[in-house]
């Protein structure tokens, strides 16, 4: 249950269902680590609709299970940003399309792309967690050219190549990392 009711659009929530993932990574030397990731399946936010909340939640849960099976089969090397980008660009769109094709054949409304991204996010988060554990450092400390195989130009494409060539996410993070933030605020 939530501490207070949360309102998203026309819906007010008093409970939230979370998806939790465990990812096991192994490096080329055979060292391994386990990471955890969790995110709320924020149905009201990612899938605004007149379709019932429980119906949309059940669909997101089923899609999360499908995504889990494909993350488990993913056999690739790289930094978590590269792995997550690969999954989001090359695997997730097909899973989303197939899922919505089955829904359409059953006369059901399509699940939005944002819901697919949220369903995949606990696995991405867990991959970052495991990578940091594997390297014995906070995962954000690996967002640089020492650990990443590609700079930001690769992610943004030719239109931004000159601006982001040789630059990495760590170039844009506050250093030293803050140990306190003044407030956490939810606007709904």
């Amino acid at each position: 249950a939530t501490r207070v009711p949360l309102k998203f659009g026309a819906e007010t929530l008093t409970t939230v269902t979370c998806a939790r993932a465990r990812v096991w990574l192994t490096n080329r030397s055979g060292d391994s680590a386990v990471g955890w990731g969790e995110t709320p399946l924020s149905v009201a936010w990612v899938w605004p609709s007149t379709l019932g909340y429980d119906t949309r939640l059940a669909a997101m849960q089923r899609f999360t299970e499908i995504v889990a099976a494909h993350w488990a089969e993913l056999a690739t090397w790289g930094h978590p940003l590269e792995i997550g980008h690969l999954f989001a660009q090359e695997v997730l769109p097909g899973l989303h399309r197939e899922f919505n094709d089955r829904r359409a054949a059953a006369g059901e409304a399509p699940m939005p792309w944002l819901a697919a991204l949220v369903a995949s996010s606990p696995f991405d988060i867990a991959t970052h967690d495991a990578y940091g554990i594997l390297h014995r450092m906070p995962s954000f400390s690996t967002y640089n050219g020492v650990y990443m195989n590609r700079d930001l130009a690769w992610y943004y494409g030719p239109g931004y190549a000159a601006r982001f060539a040789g630059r990495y996410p760590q170039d844009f993070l506050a250093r030293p990392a803050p140990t306190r933030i003044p407030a956490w605020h939810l606007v709904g």
Side-chain angles (χ1 to χ4, degrees):
T2 59
R3 187 174 50 82
V4 296
L6 297 173
K7 185 165 177 56
F8 292 94
E11 297 179 276
T12 302
L13 307 177
T14 56
T15 62
V16 176
T17 299
C18 290
R20 181 178 294 160
R22 181 180 71 177
V23 169
W24 183 328
L25 292 183
T26 302
N27 66 16
R28 294 177 196 261
S29 301
D31 302 320
S32 61
V34 173
W36 290 89
E38 182 174 316
T39 194
L41 296 178
S42 303
V43 176
W45 176 63
V46 302
W47 193 346
S49 174
T50 56
L51 193 62
Y53 179 89
D54 290 338
T55 301
R56 289 176 286 149
L57 175 61
M60 281 190 71
Q61 288 172 312
R62 176 66 192 124
F63 188 73
T64 302
E65 292 170 356
I66 293 167
V67 168
H70 284 81
W71 268 95
E73 294 171 0
L74 193 62
T76 190
W77 299 96
H79 187 275
L81 286 173
E82 297 156 0
I83 294 169
H85 184 77
L86 168 87
F87 194 89
Q89 296 296 309
E90 297 182 15
V91 179
L92 193 60
L95 298 178
H96 181 243
R97 186 174 41 260
E98 290 170 15
F99 186 76
N100 277 338
D101 287 349
R102 286 191 300 275
R103 290 184 61 77
E108 299 171 328
M111 183 183 72
W113 175 243
L114 182 56
L117 290 169
V118 168
S120 185
S121 67
F123 308 98
D124 188 52
I125 294 165
T127 302
H128 284 265
D129 185 44
Y131 193 83
I133 292 168
L134 190 61
H135 291 284
R136 295 180 176 90
M137 64 178 55
S139 59
F140 286 105
S141 296
T142 70
Y143 292 4
N144 56 55
V146 174
Y147 294 94
M148 294 177 64
N149 300 302
R150 297 177 173 100
D151 63 15
L152 289 174
W154 181 81
Y155 295 93
Y156 288 107
Y160 294 92
R163 183 173 182 190
F164 291 109
R167 304 201 68 191
Y168 295 86
Q170 198 170 58
D171 296 335
F172 300 94
L173 300 176
R175 293 286 176 216
T179 57
R180 288 181 69 173
I181 55 173
W184 181 81
H185 185 67
L186 173 67
V187 177

